């Protein structure tokens, strides 16, 4: 779980709003007005860190191994989000 509100306020210094869906506003090549209106009806983004911890507690993967996350170097803000 990631606290997207915290990321928006710290990494982006309050200039971003957490996404309410996987597709960004304006991400459709057609019907954008309908999709944008429907997006506004989606529930707000909420991080349930406790629930995420509960789910991970039951994980069978070896979580002691390092995780490699690849991101484009020109998007340095990803490093701020990941750390």
């Amino acid at each position: 779980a990631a606290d997207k509100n915290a990321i928006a306020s710290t990494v982006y210094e309050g200039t971003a709003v957490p996404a309410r869906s996987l597709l960004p506003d304006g991400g459709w090549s057609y019907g954008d007005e309908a999709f944008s209106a429907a997006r506004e009806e989606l529930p707000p983004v909420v991080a349930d860190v406790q629930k995420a911890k509960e789910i991970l507690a039951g994980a069978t993967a070896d979580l002691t191994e390092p995780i490699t996350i690849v991101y484009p170097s020109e998007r340095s803000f990803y490093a701020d989000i990941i750390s």
Side-chain angles (χ1 to χ4, degrees):
D3 188 339
K4 294 178 177 121
N5 289 309
I7 292 171
S9 66
T10 57
V11 174
Y12 295 102
E13 299 177 357
T15 62
V17 176
R20 295 180 92 152
S21 75
L22 294 174
L23 292 173
D25 202 18
W28 295 95
S29 60
Y30 63 92
D32 194 52
E33 185 175 312
F35 289 116
S36 292
R39 181 180 287 105
E40 290 304 314
E41 296 177 17
L42 293 172
V45 176
V46 178
D48 189 344
V49 176
Q50 188 57 41
K51 182 67 175 176
K53 287 179 181 180
E54 291 172 16
I55 292 169
L56 286 175
T60 58
D62 182 1
L63 301 177
T64 63
E65 292 295 317
I67 297 171
T68 302
I69 300 174
V70 179
Y71 60 90
S73 59
E74 68 273 7
R75 304 265 170 99
S76 61
F77 60 87
Y78 286 146
D80 294 333
I81 295 170
I82 294 166
S83 58

